[in-house]
Amino acid sequence: MVSYIEMLRHHKNAADLVTAKKSVTQRIEELLRIDSKAVIQQNIVEFKPYNEIKKRELIGHILYYPCITQCTVDTVPHRLIKGQRVDFVIAMKDRRGEVVNTKQKVKVTLTSPDGSCKDVTVTENGDGTHTVTVHGEMVGDYKVSISVSGQAIPGSPFDFRVLIPLVRTFGGLGDEKGYFNHPRGLAFDSNGNLVVADQCNSRVQVIDRDGCVKKIFTFTEFAPLDVAISKEVFDENDRFVRAFGSFGEKEGHFKRPSGIVVSQDKLVYVVDQYANNIQAFDVHRKFIHRIDSGEDKLDHPMGIAQSRDDPRKLFVTDNYNHCIKVFID
């Protein structure tokens, strides 16, 4: 067609025009017989007038089509606190995975926990990325569906949950049943009850899921700082079973034990805040060994926990060093 138009512009001889028409018509028929398929996701050149005076002079610029399978979404949260907001950053990428500018339409739909849907405003950042701001206005599960020119990008829809940070509160200051005076360590027993060390009341309280106190263990000679659950050491009548250790720096003695955990291999680990060490015992009170922190000494360690993935790993809060240290035992 371009050749035919050029012929019309330069030839005034009727015979030449007829010859040109036959040639172009034959070429068009050949093109129509070709079994071609549409090529997608290719770069094209779009031409626009430079200005109103020079309408015949055309200036072109490249428009990029993104490769849908390469497009990504960053900063997708798994959980969001009610009232907070989060920005989804959508990156348009070509087949090589490089971020490119594009004029393709990006559509984002937010599905709320009540099932209602609404389109969310998409901001084009001018660098090949788009930003969407989502607010956690309602508690529950949300879905964010993202598409480019009607095609969903990988991972869409994206799920996240909006939570309330504080669900409920148990107790308050006091020495009555269900109240606390400086509660410290806590743990869950096999029945799902919460076991709490009530330090300044010198007792341990066992509370069920409804907040009702099931048991209270009262002590006269010490104030508990932490608790741990063991299936090996118990008394069916809730009586005091045994104590081990005494004040001192020798093996099996403590200056101020502050944290305790019973490992899966039935070892009892005790953190000594003032002695700056960790000691291991078996369930029969026998001292096993002391864990040395090496040159990087512990300074007033407090809490201790065992890794579920690797029972040999112990996590200890190093209070005065303002860090958490991980030990392999």
Side-chain angles (χ1 to χ4, degrees), residues 114-308:
D114 60 1
S116 62
C117 299
K118 67 176 181 180
D119 291 338
V120 183
T121 302
V122 180
T123 302
E124 185 175 353
N125 300 322
D127 59 356
T129 65
H130 298 70
T131 301
V132 177
T133 301
V134 176
H135 295 268
E137 301 174 351
M138 184 186 305
V139 175
D141 295 324
Y142 285 77
K143 289 184 181 296
V144 178
S145 302
I146 302 176
S147 62
V148 178
S149 296
Q151 298 185 60
I153 68 172
S156 179
F158 300 92
D159 300 328
F160 69 93
R161 175 171 294 180
V162 173
L163 305 172
I164 299 177
L166 178 63
V167 179
R168 62 181 303 180
T169 300
F170 295 110
L173 177 60
D175 56 7
E176 297 90 353
K177 183 178 180 180
Y179 286 79
F180 306 94
N181 190 348
H182 288 80
R184 294 291 295 268
L186 49 80
F188 285 97
D189 65 14
S190 59
N191 296 319
N193 297 315
L194 184 63
V195 184
V196 185
D198 191 0
Q199 179 188 0
C200 293
N201 282 329
S202 298
R203 66 187 183 185
V204 171
Q205 298 195 63
V206 182
I207 304 171
D208 66 14
R209 298 176 182 179
D210 297 323
C212 300
V213 176
K214 304 293 290 184
K215 300 176 183 178
I216 296 180
F217 302 93
T218 304
F219 308 98
T220 58
E221 298 181 358
F222 66 94
L225 296 179
D226 200 6
V227 293
I229 306 300
S230 172
K231 296 180 179 180
E232 303 298 323
V233 181
F234 67 95
D235 183 88
E236 296 180 354
N237 298 317
D238 301 334
R239 294 177 302 182
F240 179 77
V241 178
R242 66 173 69 105
F244 60 93
S246 59
F247 182 80
E249 296 184 2
K250 296 180 180 180
E251 294 179 348
H253 294 67
F254 310 101
K255 284 188 174 182
R256 184 180 174 83
S258 58
I260 185 172
V261 66
V262 179
S263 69
Q264 297 179 16
D265 53 2
K266 302 177 184 179
L267 288 181
V268 180
Y269 292 94
V270 181
V271 176
D272 194 340
Q273 179 182 358
Y274 288 174
N276 296 318
N277 62 35
I278 305 166
Q279 298 188 60
F281 301 83
D282 65 17
V283 293
H284 302 294
R285 300 175 290 175
K286 180 182 177 181
F287 174 82
I288 303 298
H289 61 265
R290 179 181 295 170
I291 298 177
D292 187 5
S293 59
E295 295 181 358
D296 189 12
K297 297 293 185 180
L298 292 166
D299 195 353
H300 284 70
M302 298 288 288
I304 183 171
Q306 181 187 37
S307 171
R308 291 184 177 180

Side-chain angles (χ1 to χ4, degrees), residues 8-225:
L8 292 177
R9 290 179 58 191
H10 298 291
H11 297 276
K12 296 182 180 179
N13 185 286
D16 292 337
L17 291 176
V18 171
T19 303
K21 179 179 180 181
K22 290 181 179 179
S23 176
V24 173
T25 301
Q26 181 181 358
R27 178 59 180 158
I28 292 176
E29 291 176 349
E30 292 176 356
L31 292 173
L32 290 176
R33 286 194 295 268
I34 296 176
D35 184 15
S36 62
K37 296 182 180 180
V39 179
I40 61 174
Q41 298 178 352
Q42 297 289 337
N43 299 336
I44 64 171
V45 178
E46 182 184 76
F47 292 97
K48 291 186 177 181
Y50 180 72
N51 54 38
E52 292 296 324
I53 297 176
K54 299 180 180 180
K55 290 186 177 181
R56 291 185 180 181
E57 294 184 24
L58 303 179
I59 302 297
H61 66 277
I62 297 178
L63 292 178
Y64 294 94
Y65 281 112
C67 179
I68 301 300
T69 59
Q70 295 291 335
C71 295
T72 59
V73 180
D74 298 328
T75 64
V76 178
H78 294 291
R79 292 180 175 84
L80 194 65
I81 301 301
K82 182 180 179 181
Q84 290 184 341
R85 73 176 204 177
V86 64
D87 292 332
F88 289 73
V89 180
I90 308 166
M92 300 290 102
K93 298 182 180 180
D94 59 17
R95 288 169 293 175
R96 296 172 297 178
E98 297 180 359
V99 179
V100 294
N101 283 313
T102 176
K103 289 191 175 182
Q104 299 301 298
K105 183 179 180 181
V106 179
K107 182 179 180 181
V108 178
T109 303
L110 178 67
T111 303
S112 300
D114 60 1
S116 62
C117 299
K118 67 176 181 180
D119 291 338
V120 183
T121 302
V122 180
T123 302
E124 185 175 353
N125 300 322
D127 59 356
T129 65
H130 298 70
T131 301
V132 177
T133 301
V134 176
H135 295 268
E137 301 174 351
M138 184 186 305
V139 175
D141 295 324
Y142 285 77
K143 289 184 181 296
V144 178
S145 302
I146 302 176
S147 62
V148 178
S149 296
Q151 298 185 60
I153 68 172
S156 179
F158 300 92
D159 300 328
F160 69 93
R161 175 171 294 180
V162 173
L163 305 172
I164 299 177
L166 178 63
V167 179
R168 62 181 303 180
T169 300
F170 295 110
L173 177 60
D175 56 7
E176 297 90 353
K177 183 178 180 180
Y179 286 79
F180 306 94
N181 190 348
H182 288 80
R184 294 291 295 268
L186 49 80
F188 285 97
D189 65 14
S190 59
N191 296 319
N193 297 315
L194 184 63
V195 184
V196 185
D198 191 0
Q199 179 188 0
C200 293
N201 282 329
S202 298
R203 66 187 183 185
V204 171
Q205 298 195 63
V206 182
I207 304 171
D208 66 14
R209 298 176 182 179
D210 297 323
C212 300
V213 176
K214 304 293 290 184
K215 300 176 183 178
I216 296 180
F217 302 93
T218 304
F219 308 98
T220 58
E221 298 181 358
F222 66 94
L225 296 179

